[in-house]
Amino acid sequence: MSTQPNALSRSRASLTLEYPMSVGRYDRYEDAQKAVDYLSDHEFPVQNVLIVGTDLKQLERVTGRLTRGRVAAGGILSGMWLGLFVGLIFALFDPQASGLGTVLVTVLFGAGFGLMWALIGYQFTGGQRDFTSVTQVVATQYEVLVEHRHVQRARELLTEMDPMAAAQAEVRAAREADAAAAAAAAQRAQTTAPSASPAGEMPQPPTSPQPSSSQQPPQQPPADV
């Protein structure tokens, strides 16, 4: 029986908490790490703490142009390293092979193979990506979560560490709660509002019923002259 599902379930269990609650949000990972380190220094059970990066975004730093010459140089260099490694293995474990000659042959062979492989790969790109870059996925905010059993103690310690940051966090949480309440009230108002009249039609005021001919009052006779 494979143990991969069991290992995966254990890994997920180690990254979850029982009813986690937020005790702080930070713009940098170093600040979140500093908060957890402060909790650890004050004998807080940090095995109940989880740092979560939110609002992920991908950064790609362009490092330079990618030309055919640079591709060829990179392929030759990587092939030479591979050939050197293979040549040293042959020289160490094959007593009949000449050490230096074997290494030189494998280095030259690796350089040629690396050059050909790099140029073929560059040709397949069709010039769609003529630059080199470094890619990294980072988070916009980092939130420190604690199990509900220890959240009160964690908030007290973080307030002692940075009272100003704790006050700002409380103000921000209150603003978010007010915004959520206002949005919920607006949603309720939209759902309970009466349906509008069709376009182009104005509501007509109620008209009083006209008396019928049978209900008209009798005419008075003309006065005598």
Side-chain angles (χ1 to χ4, degrees):
M1 181 181 294
S2 175
T3 59
Q4 184 176 359
N6 294 332
L8 183 59
S9 61
R10 287 195 298 268
S11 176
R12 291 179 178 177
S14 62
L15 294 176
T16 58
L17 295 177
E18 183 181 357
Y19 301 110
M21 299 181 67
S22 175
V23 295
R25 293 181 181 178
Y26 305 91
D27 296 332
R28 301 188 310 161
Y29 175 77
E30 290 77 9
D31 297 334
Q33 183 179 0
K34 181 180 178 181
V36 177
D37 185 64
Y38 184 85
L39 295 177
S40 178
D41 293 340
H42 289 75
E43 299 182 355
F44 183 84
V46 291
Q47 64 271 18
N48 300 298
V49 178
L50 183 66
I51 301 177
V52 180
T54 59
D55 298 334
L56 300 181
K57 61 181 180 179
Q58 179 176 326
L59 302 179
E60 185 173 4
R61 177 72 164 86
V62 180
T63 57
R65 293 182 66 247
L66 185 62
T67 61
R68 189 177 297 272
R70 295 190 63 178
V71 171
I76 291 174
L77 185 59
S78 61
M80 289 176 63
W81 279 110
L82 180 60
L84 179 61
F85 176 72
V86 175
L88 290 176
I89 292 178
F90 284 161
L92 290 176
F93 295 98
D94 190 0
Q96 296 181 356
S98 59
L100 184 58
T102 303
V103 172
L104 290 177
V105 170
T106 54
V107 167
L108 293 176
F109 180 79
F113 178 78
L115 173 62
M116 192 176 0
W117 184 261
L119 292 178
I120 291 174
Y122 179 75
Q123 189 66 28
F124 275 122
T125 61
Q128 296 296 325
R129 188 179 175 87
D130 290 339
F131 62 90
T132 58
S133 62
V134 178
T135 306
Q136 183 180 8
V137 177
V138 298
T140 304
Q141 281 191 342
Y142 296 91
E143 189 172 7
V144 179
L145 303 179
V146 179
E147 284 193 1
H148 67 287
R149 297 172 298 174
H150 309 282
V151 65
Q152 186 63 31
R153 178 58 178 165
R155 288 175 178 172
E156 293 176 356
L157 291 174
L158 294 181
T159 302
E160 295 175 1
M161 181 188 73
D162 194 348
M164 183 61 66
Q168 293 176 355
E170 291 181 359
V171 171
R172 180 168 52 189
R175 289 178 178 176
E176 292 178 355
D178 293 341
Q187 185 67 23
R188 288 195 301 268
Q190 291 179 358
T191 55
T192 56
S195 59
S197 299
E201 296 184 3
M202 297 294 295
Q204 300 294 332
T207 58
S208 58
Q210 298 292 335
S212 61
S213 57
S214 61
Q215 295 180 355
Q216 291 183 356
Q219 296 183 356
Q220 297 294 333
D224 296 335
V225 177

